[in-house]
Amino acid sequence: QVQLVESGGGLVQAGGSLRLSCAATGNIFSGNVMGWYRQTPGKQRELVAIITSGPRTNYADSVKGRFTISRDNAKNTVYLQMNSLKPEDTGVYYCNARKMITVEGAYVDYWGQGTQVTVSS
């Protein structure tokens, strides 16, 4: 059974840093794309950063140069280091694991329960 458990959220002042962690169980981590998404009230969940097994990374324009995604394959854990935080970074951050199930591109998404990040001005 796949399980993604996030930790590391909290309240921080603008300009501060937080590090999110996501521990994966259930044979989902190896070889799959892992990512972080965030959601604020009234808005759709948006991509923050993803990392492949390569690893290659991709970031939302709004976090480039401030956030860093990384993965530890030995620990089945993905991290999101967030620096120079801004009030607009506030939201619930969700860990995502995307498992490809066909060569044509069909996939299944798994989500964690989310962790709140609040950045005060």
Side-chain angles (χ1 to χ4, degrees), residues 11-63:
L11 173 64
V12 65
Q13 286 190 328
S17 298
L18 283 174
R19 188 194 196 204
L20 305 183
S21 299
C22 172
T25 58
N27 195 29
I28 188 61
F29 194 84
S30 178
N32 292 305
V33 177
M34 302 295 296
W36 289 96
Y37 292 70
R38 69 186 177 195
Q39 190 167 20
T40 54
K43 292 187 177 182
Q44 286 190 328
R45 194 172 295 186
E46 62 175 357
L47 171 71
V48 176
I50 58 171
I51 184 167
T52 72
S53 59
R56 291 185 298 176
T57 60
N58 192 29
Y59 297 91
D61 288 342
S62 60
V63 307

Side-chain angles (χ1 to χ4, degrees), residues 11-15 85-87 90 118-121:
L11 173 64
V12 65
Q13 286 190 328
L85 282 160
K86 304 175 181 180
T90 295
T118 303
V119 184
S120 63
S121 57

